[in-house]
Amino acid sequence: MDLQGVGAIVTGGASGLGAATAEMLARGGAKVTIFDLNVDQGNAKAAELGGHFVRVDVADEANVQSAIEEAEARHGVARVLVNCAGIATAEKIIDRDGKPLPLDRFARVVAINLTGTFNVLSKMAARLHGAEPIGPDGERGVIINTASVAAYEGQVGQPAYGASKGGVMALTLPAARELARWNIRVVTIAPGIFWTPMMAGLPQDAQDSLGRQIPFPSRLGRPEEYAMLAESIIANPMLNGETIRLDGAIRMAPR
């Protein structure tokens, strides 16, 4: 798909992987709307890109519906959705005293990472299915979701995160098969250890130690490298129904 002049939505687009993706889309000529909870960062990034910002809780059905309608009123039917919104937690199933993880804390991660992804995906698909086909293949749109290598090798302390990202991965193929009827592609990226604002809070030696765990290149992944893969997915019409690892060949240890 040619990005020039098309509407695009990035959830979690105020920082990290989402911000780099929003920048890539804007450079390609897309009209970008950022969905995020961080109003200050979201507005600043949208202004920088000449785009639009909407404060969105991806787990809120009405909020997402109205936000997509607002993006459409501003930029036309969005042809590209990149779901980067998510949270990461480190909590065990039972603590050292044998107390179980409170269900509401598990459910919150699943609600944002998995249910939130489906919420935006489904609302986007509903807007796309009646859109005019474009390009030589009659494509209507591309939806890119974000899983994690934790979907494959979840570590101790990642039951909620691993389960939520595994769900995103499992959603990919049935969504792609169903939406193929309307020429809408669905692809998921599963990043490894990437630099994000969350990582920025770690000491430099801790960041370096994490980077050395990656076979090659032995460093943290860069947000713009995630954006590069998203750009390739958008451009290549044969990429569909797949989860692509982006991890420098790392396979996560149990801890």
Side-chain angles (χ1 to χ4, degrees):
M1 179 181 291
D2 184 356
L3 287 172
Q4 189 63 46
V6 306
I9 294 171
V10 183
T11 73
S15 62
L17 304 180
T21 301
E23 292 166 6
M24 173 275 293
L25 291 166
R27 284 195 304 271
K31 297 176 287 187
V32 180
T33 300
I34 291 171
F35 289 0
D36 207 290
L37 285 172
N38 191 313
V39 174
D40 291 341
Q41 286 188 339
N43 277 319
K45 180 57 66 175
E48 174 191 326
L49 303 178
H52 183 57
F53 170 73
V54 187
R55 185 186 183 278
V56 176
D57 174 358
V58 295
D60 184 310
E61 191 165 16
N63 190 184
V64 168
Q65 181 66 48
S66 65
I68 289 176
E69 290 170 1
E70 182 176 334
E72 184 172 323
R74 189 76 172 241
H75 293 151
V77 177
R79 301 289 184 161
V80 175
L81 166 66
V82 185
N83 275 314
C84 291
I87 60 171
T89 60
E91 294 185 293
K92 295 180 180 179
I93 297 170
I94 55 173
D95 65 18
R96 291 182 179 180
D97 298 323
K99 294 179 181 178
L101 174 66
L103 186 59
D104 63 335
R105 297 217 291 264
F106 181 93
R108 178 173 176 266
V109 177
V110 174
I112 295 170
N113 292 356
L114 175 56
T115 307
T117 294
F118 177 81
N119 189 24
V120 187
L121 177 151
S122 62
K123 304 295 186 296
M124 176 80 164
R127 306 300 290 185
L128 278 172
H129 94 285
E132 189 70 23
I134 58 175
D137 292 305
E139 193 166 21
R140 285 189 168 90
V142 183
I143 297 171
I144 300 173
N145 297 323
T146 304
S148 166
V149 295
Y152 300 87
E153 302 115 29
Q155 296 182 295
V156 171
Q158 291 185 322
Y161 185 70
S164 68
K165 293 301 188 177
V168 173
M169 179 176 70
L171 171 64
T172 306
L173 185 57
R177 285 173 162 172
E178 177 181 341
L179 298 181
R181 175 181 177 185
W182 293 287
N183 299 359
I184 302 167
R185 293 188 287 125
V186 182
V187 180
T188 293
I189 299 173
I193 307 176
F194 270 65
W195 188 93
T196 64
M198 182 175 61
M199 284 286 185
L202 296 177
Q204 188 60 51
D205 59 346
Q207 295 184 37
D208 293 342
S209 175
L210 287 169
R212 285 193 293 270
Q213 296 177 33
I214 302 171
F216 184 80
S218 295
R219 57 166 173 79
L220 299 179
R222 296 168 181 151
E224 56 266 31
E225 291 166 333
Y226 174 99
M228 288 168 62
L229 179 53
E231 185 175 27
S232 295
I233 291 167
I234 293 164
N236 191 333
M238 284 302 289
L239 284 173
N240 194 15
E242 186 59 84
T243 297
I244 304 170
R245 291 184 67 130
L246 184 66
D247 60 17
I250 195 170
R251 297 299 180 267
M252 302 298 290
R255 296 177 184 270

